Amino acid sequence: MTSPTAVQIDLTDPDRFVAQQHYEMFSWLRDNDPVHWHATPDGGGFWVLTTYEDVAAAYLNHTDLSSEAGPMLGGSLYSDSDPSAGQMLVSTDPPRHRMLRQQLHQTFAQHVIKRVARQVEELVDTAVERALADGGCDFSTDIAEELPAGALMVMMGISRTRAQELIDLTRSMIGYRDPLLVTDTEDDERLRLAVIQAEIFDFCADLLREKRKNPGDDLVSQLLRAELNGRPWTENEILFNCMNVAVGGDETSSYTACAGTLALDEHPDQLERLRTEPELLDSALNEMLRWNSTNLYVHRVALRDTVIQDKEVRRGQSVTLWNVSANRDPAQFREPETFDITRSPNKHMSYGIGIHRCIGAMLAHTELTVLFRKLLAPDLRIAVAGPPRRLRSNFIQGITRLPVVLTRC
């Protein structure tokens, strides 16, 4: 296979990611142009950071790089700025970021995580038993989605039905370029995205009205009681952060579950070792996270002219931090193209680092632990029964269809 050149590299084409061609592109970039200017047809472009060292440094550089243009390229319909700037945790810079995070962190307390674990275990047990009775299922929709469903039921204080409604909405927002998830024929992709985002806001606004009348111990009720600098949170601040929690939680756990199941199926030696040494589960989960890198990149904007390596980054230019490339950097990971459940150290970027490390990382890890403990039960066997269907996206790496066979030994 011919190695890609800078001309052939296109990180805006989701079909290159569906075809899993991005790993080859990033390998070439790390070796030849690690800080790459990616031109776009409209005459603009964005910087692409590909090495572990550069991505890590950019995550920690709040002086030169801002999060307030939104977490993804082209995420705002009407302007270059993002309406969530300074209001949603992932789109906020210090020092305000610290205040938001302190308040939100309370909603991820240990007692909440334990409740989520119990709810997820109940849902997963039911889903697995149903799949066993049927002989198999679509793992992506029939089992993996129970992880975010259980989390939303506890975090938002909603029913299983409403949790599924929110999952469907957030999945459509992330997969707004995927015909399997979005049936809207609107040609303008950014308008299609804006419409789905509005639907999520409507869902959260309805929930906000309900919790004002009947508060509980859920995320929305806690934010209604919280204060920032001595004043109540605004409705927009609550809505944006509900979206933040919902989207982050929906995608990371379920898509990592699918990728991990596929990886173990494709590496039977690793699966067998995990079965015989279940104490390796935590290490295995971290390797699944590194291997898949569900959140492919995060977006920053230069606050001032700066230099990254020998490249001059101009004020206002977009800079993309590619977690997926950092997680396969041989300068950081020994034999990065090998799936190794014993890998140590494994300082992957899949949750981010620094102040922007995913606030729900422990929650997602707990959900995945519950699931794989169930799947690794001595009397249970699961095998992939057909090719996976991958999400059409260059922002989130996910599997939307994964047929499996489940049997008891």
Side-chain angles (χ1 to χ4, degrees):
M1 182 180 295
T2 303
S3 295
T5 67
V7 175
Q8 295 170 319
I9 287 169
D10 184 359
L11 299 177
T12 66
D13 181 0
D15 292 322
R16 302 288 294 274
F17 291 81
V18 171
Q20 299 286 278
Q21 296 171 353
H22 54 295
Y23 292 112
E24 185 181 17
M25 291 190 284
F26 285 122
S27 178
W28 188 92
L29 286 171
R30 286 193 303 269
D31 290 342
N32 298 278
D33 191 13
V35 181
H36 171 70
W37 175 251
H38 194 302
T40 51
D42 61 3
F46 55 93
W47 291 99
V48 175
L49 307 187
T50 58
T51 69
Y52 188 96
E53 183 178 3
D54 286 338
V55 170
Y59 261 112
L60 302 175
N61 185 354
H62 312 297
T63 302
D64 300 320
L65 301 175
S66 171
S67 305
E68 297 201 351
M72 63 185 287
L73 291 164
S76 178
L77 175 62
Y78 297 109
S79 67
D80 293 331
S81 62
D82 193 282
S84 68
Q87 300 186 83
M88 185 164 68
L89 186 65
V90 297
S91 305
T92 303
D93 294 332
R96 184 173 173 78
H97 180 279
R98 176 180 56 81
M99 294 186 289
L100 288 174
R101 192 176 184 91
Q102 285 177 342
Q103 296 282 344
L104 287 166
H105 187 70
Q106 298 174 25
T107 67
F108 290 88
Q110 280 299 315
H111 69 91
V112 176
I113 291 176
K114 289 178 180 178
R115 285 176 55 206
V116 169
R118 290 194 294 269
Q119 183 64 73
V120 168
E121 184 173 22
E122 179 182 324
L123 293 177
V124 166
D125 284 350
T126 301
V128 168
E129 291 303 317
R130 186 167 54 242
L132 283 167
D134 293 341
C137 67
D138 182 339
F139 185 87
S140 174
T141 56
D142 298 331
I143 296 180
E145 283 189 5
E146 300 296 0
L147 276 60
L152 288 173
M153 289 171 69
V154 173
M155 296 289 291
M156 300 288 194
I158 57 179
S159 67
R160 175 65 181 80
T161 300
R162 293 188 74 186
Q164 187 61 56
E165 181 184 351
L166 184 53
I167 290 168
D168 291 343
L169 286 171
T170 58
R171 190 134 293 183
S172 295
M173 186 184 82
I174 292 299
Y176 73 102
R177 302 168 81 180
D178 191 322
L180 180 68
L181 300 176
V182 178
T183 56
D184 188 351
T185 57
E186 170 59 56
D187 291 334
D188 189 326
E189 288 183 343
R190 295 181 72 189
L191 180 57
R192 185 189 311 155
L193 175 60
V195 169
I196 300 169
Q197 289 173 336
E199 291 176 350
I200 297 174
F201 265 88
D202 287 343
F203 181 100
C204 293
D206 288 343
L207 189 58
L208 186 57
R209 284 189 288 271
E210 292 172 20
K211 299 303 180 181
R212 278 202 172 103
K213 294 178 181 178
N214 298 294
D217 59 354
D218 54 89
L219 168 69
V220 178
S221 298
Q222 289 189 50
L223 293 183
L224 281 169
R225 294 190 292 264
E227 292 186 347
L228 282 169
N229 275 343
R231 64 146 179 89
W233 283 50
T234 67
E235 182 166 312
N236 271 354
E237 286 167 344
I238 295 174
L239 292 176
F240 275 122
N241 284 287
C242 285
M243 176 189 282
N244 190 172
V245 169
V247 174
D250 292 356
E251 307 311 312
T252 302
S253 60
S254 57
Y255 282 146
T256 300
C258 293
T261 298
L262 179 62
L264 289 173
D265 187 83
E266 292 177 338
H267 300 84
D269 60 320
Q270 299 295 293
L271 174 59
E272 183 57 31
R273 182 161 187 185
L274 187 54
R275 285 192 177 280
T276 57
E277 300 178 60
E279 65 273 14
L280 290 174
L281 179 56
D282 188 67
S283 174
L285 293 179
N286 278 307
E287 182 66 346
M288 293 174 194
L289 287 156
R290 182 196 72 88
W291 187 250
N292 188 63
S293 303
T294 298
N295 191 178
L296 290 162
Y297 74 86
V298 296
H299 177 221
R300 299 289 186 264
V301 168
L303 292 169
R304 56 183 57 81
D305 291 352
T306 188
V307 175
I308 301 178
Q309 289 203 25
D310 59 346
K311 301 295 179 68
E312 295 183 0
V313 178
R314 298 300 184 188
R315 179 178 180 274
Q317 288 183 330
S318 286
V319 181
T320 51
L321 290 54
W322 289 86
N323 303 314
V324 64
S325 180
N327 281 344
R328 298 289 181 104
D329 187 348
Q332 175 68 23
F333 299 99
R334 178 180 54 83
E335 298 181 3
E337 302 304 323
T338 298
F339 180 73
D340 179 6
I341 65 168
T342 68
R343 184 178 300 278
S344 180
N346 190 350
K347 297 180 179 179
H348 61 77
M349 291 284 189
S350 297
Y351 289 134
I353 60 171
I355 66 169
H356 280 289
R357 176 175 166 79
C358 175
I359 195 170
M362 182 58 68
L363 183 66
H365 221 73
T366 299
E367 295 169 39
L368 290 166
T369 299
V370 169
L371 172 67
F372 281 98
R373 279 180 180 164
K374 178 69 176 180
L375 297 180
L376 293 166
D379 64 339
L380 184 67
R381 290 295 181 270
I382 181 171
V384 174
R389 184 193 184 281
R390 297 187 181 276
L391 178 69
R392 189 172 184 270
S393 172
N394 69 335
F395 179 60
I396 292 291
Q397 181 156 242
I399 293 174
T400 56
R401 291 287 184 268
L402 186 65
V404 297
V405 172
L406 280 90
T407 55
R408 287 209 186 276
C409 301

Coordinates of all heavy atoms in Angstrom, one line a residue, residues 138-192:
D138 N -27.8 -7.6 18.4 CA -26.9 -6.5 17.9 C -26.4 -5.9 19.2 O -27.0 -5.2 19.9 CB -27.7 -5.5 17.1 CG -26.8 -4.4 16.6 OD1 -25.7 -4.2 17.2 OD2 -27.2 -3.7 15.7
F139 N -25.1 -6.2 19.5 CA -24.5 -5.8 20.7 C -24.5 -4.3 20.9 O -24.7 -3.8 22.0 CB -23.0 -6.2 20.8 CG -22.3 -6.0 22.1 CD1 -22.4 -6.9 23.1 CD2 -21.6 -4.8 22.2 CE1 -21.8 -6.6 24.3 CE2 -20.9 -4.6 23.4 CZ -21.0 -5.5 24.5
S140 N -24.4 -3.5 19.8 CA -24.4 -2.1 19.9 C -25.6 -1.5 20.5 O -25.6 -0.6 21.3 CB -24.1 -1.5 18.5 OG -24.2 -0.1 18.5
T141 N -26.8 -1.9 20.0 CA -28.1 -1.4 20.4 C -28.7 -2.1 21.5 O -29.4 -1.5 22.3 CB -29.0 -1.3 19.2 OG1 -29.2 -2.6 18.6 CG2 -28.5 -0.3 18.1
D142 N -28.5 -3.4 21.6 CA -29.2 -4.3 22.6 C -28.5 -4.4 23.9 O -29.2 -4.7 24.9 CB -29.5 -5.6 22.0 CG -30.4 -5.6 20.7 OD1 -31.2 -4.6 20.6 OD2 -30.3 -6.4 19.8
I143 N -27.2 -4.2 23.9 CA -26.5 -4.4 25.2 C -25.7 -3.1 25.6 O -25.8 -2.6 26.7 CB -25.6 -5.6 25.2 CG1 -26.4 -6.9 25.1 CG2 -24.7 -5.7 26.4 CD1 -25.6 -8.2 25.0
A144 N -24.9 -2.7 24.6 CA -24.0 -1.5 24.9 C -24.8 -0.3 25.4 O -24.3 0.5 26.2 CB -23.1 -1.2 23.8
E145 N -25.9 0.0 24.8 CA -26.7 1.2 25.1 C -27.3 1.1 26.5 O -27.7 2.1 27.0 CB -27.8 1.4 24.1 CG -27.3 2.0 22.8 CD -28.4 2.4 21.8 OE1 -29.6 2.4 22.2 OE2 -28.1 2.8 20.7
E146 N -27.2 0.0 27.2 CA -27.7 -0.1 28.5 C -26.8 0.6 29.5 O -27.2 1.0 30.6 CB -27.9 -1.6 29.0 CG -28.9 -2.4 28.1 CD -30.3 -1.9 28.2 OE1 -30.6 -0.9 28.9 OE2 -31.2 -2.5 27.5
L147 N -25.5 0.8 29.1 CA -24.6 1.5 30.0 C -25.0 3.0 30.1 O -25.3 3.5 31.2 CB -23.2 1.4 29.4 CG -22.4 0.1 29.9 CD1 -23.1 -1.1 29.4 CD2 -21.0 0.2 29.3
P148 N -25.1 3.8 29.0 CA -25.6 5.2 29.2 C -27.0 5.3 29.7 O -27.4 6.2 30.4 CB -25.4 5.8 27.8 CG -25.4 4.6 26.9 CD -24.7 3.5 27.6
A149 N -27.8 4.3 29.3 CA -29.2 4.3 29.8 C -29.3 4.3 31.3 O -30.0 5.1 32.0 CB -30.0 3.1 29.2
G150 N -28.5 3.4 31.9 CA -28.5 3.3 33.4 C -27.9 4.5 34.0 O -28.4 5.0 35.1
A151 N -26.9 5.1 33.4 CA -26.3 6.3 34.0 C -27.3 7.5 33.9 O -27.5 8.2 34.9 CB -25.1 6.7 33.2
L152 N -28.0 7.6 32.8 CA -29.0 8.7 32.6 C -30.2 8.5 33.6 O -30.7 9.5 34.1 CB -29.5 8.8 31.2 CG -28.5 9.3 30.2 CD1 -29.0 9.2 28.7 CD2 -28.1 10.8 30.4
M153 N -30.6 7.3 33.8 CA -31.7 7.1 34.7 C -31.4 7.6 36.1 O -32.2 8.3 36.7 CB -32.1 5.6 34.7 CG -32.7 5.1 33.5 SD -32.8 3.2 33.5 CE -34.1 3.0 34.8
V154 N -30.2 7.4 36.5 CA -29.8 7.8 37.9 C -29.4 9.3 37.8 O -29.9 10.1 38.7 CB -28.6 7.0 38.4 CG1 -28.1 7.6 39.7 CG2 -29.0 5.6 38.6
M155 N -28.6 9.7 36.9 CA -28.0 11.1 36.9 C -29.1 12.1 36.6 O -29.1 13.2 37.2 CB -27.0 11.2 35.8 CG -25.7 10.4 36.0 SD -24.7 11.0 37.4 CE -24.1 12.5 36.7
M156 N -30.1 11.8 35.7 CA -31.1 12.7 35.3 C -32.4 12.5 36.1 O -33.4 13.3 36.0 CB -31.4 12.6 33.8 CG -30.2 13.0 33.0 SD -29.8 14.7 33.0 CE -28.7 14.8 31.6
G157 N -32.5 11.3 36.8 CA -33.8 11.0 37.5 C -34.9 10.8 36.5 O -36.0 11.3 36.7
I158 N -34.7 10.0 35.4 CA -35.7 9.7 34.4 C -35.9 8.2 34.2 O -35.1 7.4 34.7 CB -35.3 10.4 33.1 CG1 -33.9 9.9 32.6 CG2 -35.3 11.9 33.2 CD1 -33.5 10.5 31.3
S159 N -37.0 7.9 33.5 CA -37.3 6.5 33.2 C -36.4 5.9 32.2 O -35.7 6.6 31.5 CB -38.8 6.4 32.8 OG -38.9 7.0 31.5
R160 N -36.4 4.6 32.0 CA -35.7 3.9 31.0 C -36.1 4.4 29.6 O -35.3 4.6 28.7 CB -35.9 2.4 31.1 CG -35.2 1.6 30.0 CD -33.7 1.7 30.0 NE -33.0 0.9 29.0 CZ -32.9 1.4 27.7 NH1 -33.4 2.5 27.4 NH2 -32.3 0.6 26.8
T161 N -37.4 4.6 29.4 CA -37.9 5.1 28.1 C -37.4 6.5 27.8 O -37.0 6.7 26.6 CB -39.5 5.1 28.1 OG1 -40.0 3.8 28.4 CG2 -40.0 5.6 26.8
R162 N -37.4 7.3 28.7 CA -36.9 8.7 28.5 C -35.4 8.7 28.3 O -34.8 9.5 27.5 CB -37.3 9.6 29.6 CG -38.8 9.9 29.6 CD -39.2 10.9 30.6 NE -38.9 12.3 30.1 CZ -39.0 13.4 30.8 NH1 -39.4 13.3 32.1 NH2 -38.7 14.6 30.3
A163 N -34.7 7.8 29.0 CA -33.3 7.7 28.8 C -33.0 7.3 27.4 O -32.0 7.8 26.8 CB -32.7 6.7 29.8
Q164 N -33.7 6.3 26.9 CA -33.5 5.9 25.5 C -33.8 7.0 24.5 O -33.1 7.2 23.5 CB -34.4 4.7 25.2 CG -34.1 4.1 23.8 CD -32.7 3.6 23.7 OE1 -32.2 2.8 24.5 NE2 -31.9 4.1 22.7
E165 N -34.8 7.8 24.8 CA -35.1 9.0 23.9 C -33.9 10.0 23.9 O -33.6 10.4 22.8 CB -36.4 9.7 24.4 CG -36.8 10.9 23.6 CD -38.0 11.7 24.2 OE1 -38.6 11.2 25.2 OE2 -38.3 12.8 23.7
L166 N -33.3 10.2 25.0 CA -32.2 11.1 25.0 C -31.0 10.5 24.4 O -30.2 11.2 23.6 CB -31.9 11.5 26.5 CG -30.8 12.6 26.7 CD1 -31.0 13.8 25.9 CD2 -30.6 12.9 28.2
I167 N -30.8 9.2 24.6 CA -29.7 8.5 23.9 C -29.8 8.6 22.4 O -28.9 8.9 21.6 CB -29.6 7.1 24.3 CG1 -29.1 7.0 25.8 CG2 -28.7 6.3 23.4 CD1 -29.3 5.6 26.4
D168 N -31.0 8.4 21.9 CA -31.3 8.5 20.4 C -31.0 9.9 19.9 O -30.4 10.1 18.8 CB -32.8 8.2 20.1 CG -33.1 6.7 20.4 OD1 -32.1 5.9 20.4 OD2 -34.3 6.3 20.5
L169 N -31.3 10.9 20.7 CA -31.1 12.3 20.3 C -29.6 12.6 20.3 O -29.1 13.2 19.3 CB -31.8 13.3 21.2 CG -33.3 13.4 21.1 CD1 -33.9 14.2 22.2 CD2 -33.7 14.0 19.7
T170 N -28.9 12.3 21.3 CA -27.4 12.6 21.4 C -26.7 11.8 20.3 O -25.7 12.2 19.7 CB -26.9 12.3 22.7 OG1 -27.1 10.9 23.1 CG2 -27.5 13.2 23.8
R171 N -27.1 10.5 20.1 CA -26.5 9.7 19.1 C -26.7 10.3 17.7 O -25.8 10.3 16.8 CB -27.0 8.3 19.1 CG -26.3 7.3 18.3 CD -26.0 6.0 19.0 NE -25.1 6.2 20.2 CZ -24.7 5.2 20.9 NH1 -25.1 4.0 20.7 NH2 -23.9 5.4 21.9
S172 N -27.9 10.9 17.4 CA -28.1 11.5 16.2 C -27.3 12.8 16.0 O -26.8 13.1 14.9 CB -29.6 11.9 16.0 OG -30.4 10.7 16.0
M173 N -27.1 13.5 17.1 CA -26.3 14.7 17.1 C -24.8 14.4 16.7 O -24.2 15.0 15.8 CB -26.3 15.5 18.4 CG -25.6 16.8 18.4 SD -25.5 17.6 20.0 CE -24.1 16.8 20.7
I174 N -24.3 13.4 17.4 CA -22.9 13.0 17.1 C -22.8 12.4 15.7 O -21.8 12.6 14.9 CB -22.4 12.0 18.1 CG1 -22.2 12.7 19.5 CG2 -21.1 11.4 17.7 CD1 -21.2 13.8 19.5
G175 N -23.8 11.6 15.3 CA -23.8 11.0 14.0 C -24.6 11.7 12.9 O -25.3 11.1 12.1
Y176 N -24.6 13.0 13.0 CA -25.4 13.8 12.1 C -25.0 13.7 10.6 O -25.8 14.1 9.7 CB -25.4 15.3 12.5 CG -24.1 16.0 12.2 CD1 -24.0 16.9 11.1 CD2 -23.0 15.9 13.0 CE1 -22.8 17.6 10.8 CE2 -21.8 16.6 12.7 CZ -21.7 17.4 11.6 OH -20.6 18.1 11.3
R177 N -23.9 13.0 10.4 CA -23.5 12.8 9.0 C -23.7 11.3 8.6 O -23.2 10.8 7.6 CB -22.0 13.2 8.8 CG -21.8 14.6 9.1 CD -20.3 15.0 9.2 NE -19.7 15.2 7.9 CZ -18.4 15.5 7.8 NH1 -17.6 15.6 8.8 NH2 -17.9 15.7 6.6
D178 N -24.3 10.5 9.5 CA -24.5 9.1 9.3 C -26.0 8.8 8.9 O -26.9 9.0 9.7 CB -24.1 8.4 10.5 CG -24.0 6.9 10.3 OD1 -24.9 6.3 9.6 OD2 -23.1 6.2 10.9
P179 N -26.2 8.3 7.7 CA -27.6 8.1 7.3 C -28.4 7.0 8.1 O -29.6 7.0 8.1 CB -27.5 7.6 5.8 CG -26.1 7.1 5.7 CD -25.3 8.0 6.6
L180 N -27.6 6.2 8.8 CA -28.3 5.2 9.7 C -29.0 5.9 10.9 O -30.0 5.4 11.4 CB -27.3 4.2 10.2 CG -27.8 3.1 11.1 CD1 -28.8 2.2 10.3 CD2 -26.7 2.3 11.7
L181 N -28.4 7.0 11.3 CA -28.8 7.6 12.5 C -29.7 8.9 12.3 O -30.4 9.3 13.1 CB -27.6 8.0 13.4 CG -26.7 6.9 13.9 CD1 -25.5 7.4 14.6 CD2 -27.5 5.9 14.7
V182 N -29.5 9.4 11.1 CA -30.3 10.7 10.8 C -31.0 10.5 9.4 O -30.3 10.2 8.4 CB -29.3 11.9 10.7 CG1 -30.1 13.1 10.3 CG2 -28.6 12.1 12.0
T183 N -32.3 10.5 9.4 CA -33.1 10.3 8.2 C -33.4 11.6 7.5 O -34.0 11.6 6.4 CB -34.3 9.5 8.5 OG1 -35.1 10.2 9.5 CG2 -34.0 8.1 9.0
D184 N -33.1 12.7 8.2 CA -33.4 14.1 7.6 C -32.7 14.2 6.3 O -31.5 14.0 6.3 CB -33.0 15.1 8.6 CG -33.5 16.5 8.2 OD1 -34.0 16.7 7.1 OD2 -33.4 17.5 9.0
T185 N -33.4 14.6 5.3 CA -32.7 14.8 4.0 C -32.2 16.2 3.8 O -31.7 16.5 2.7 CB -33.7 14.5 2.8 OG1 -34.9 15.3 3.0 CG2 -34.2 13.0 2.9
E186 N -32.2 17.0 4.8 CA -31.7 18.4 4.7 C -30.2 18.3 4.2 O -29.4 17.6 4.8 CB -31.8 19.1 6.0 CG -31.1 20.4 6.1 CD -31.6 21.4 5.1 OE1 -32.8 21.7 5.1 OE2 -30.7 21.9 4.3
D187 N -29.9 19.0 3.1 CA -28.6 19.0 2.5 C -27.5 19.7 3.4 O -26.4 19.3 3.4 CB -28.6 19.5 1.1 CG -29.4 18.7 0.1 OD1 -29.4 17.4 0.4 OD2 -29.9 19.2 -0.8
D188 N -27.9 20.7 4.1 CA -27.0 21.5 4.9 C -26.7 20.8 6.2 O -27.5 20.7 7.1 CB -27.6 22.9 5.2 CG -26.6 23.8 5.8 OD1 -25.7 23.4 6.6 OD2 -26.7 25.0 5.6
E189 N -25.5 20.2 6.3 CA -25.2 19.4 7.4 C -25.2 20.2 8.7 O -25.6 19.7 9.8 CB -23.8 18.7 7.3 CG -23.8 17.6 6.2 CD -22.5 16.9 6.1 OE1 -21.5 17.5 6.6 OE2 -22.4 15.8 5.6
R190 N -24.8 21.4 8.7 CA -24.7 22.3 9.9 C -26.1 22.6 10.3 O -26.3 22.7 11.5 CB -23.8 23.5 9.6 CG -22.4 23.2 9.3 CD -21.6 24.5 9.1 NE -21.4 25.2 10.3 CZ -20.9 26.4 10.4 NH1 -20.5 27.0 9.3 NH2 -20.7 27.0 11.6
L191 N -27.0 22.8 9.4 CA -28.4 23.1 9.8 C -29.0 21.9 10.4 O -29.7 21.9 11.4 CB -29.2 23.6 8.6 CG -30.7 23.9 8.8 CD1 -30.8 25.0 9.9 CD2 -31.4 24.3 7.5
R192 N -28.7 20.7 9.8 CA -29.2 19.4 10.4 C -28.7 19.3 11.8 O -29.5 18.9 12.7 CB -28.7 18.3 9.5 CG -29.3 16.9 9.9 CD -28.6 15.8 9.1 NE -28.5 16.1 7.7 CZ -27.6 15.6 6.9 NH1 -26.6 14.8 7.4 NH2 -27.6 15.9 5.6

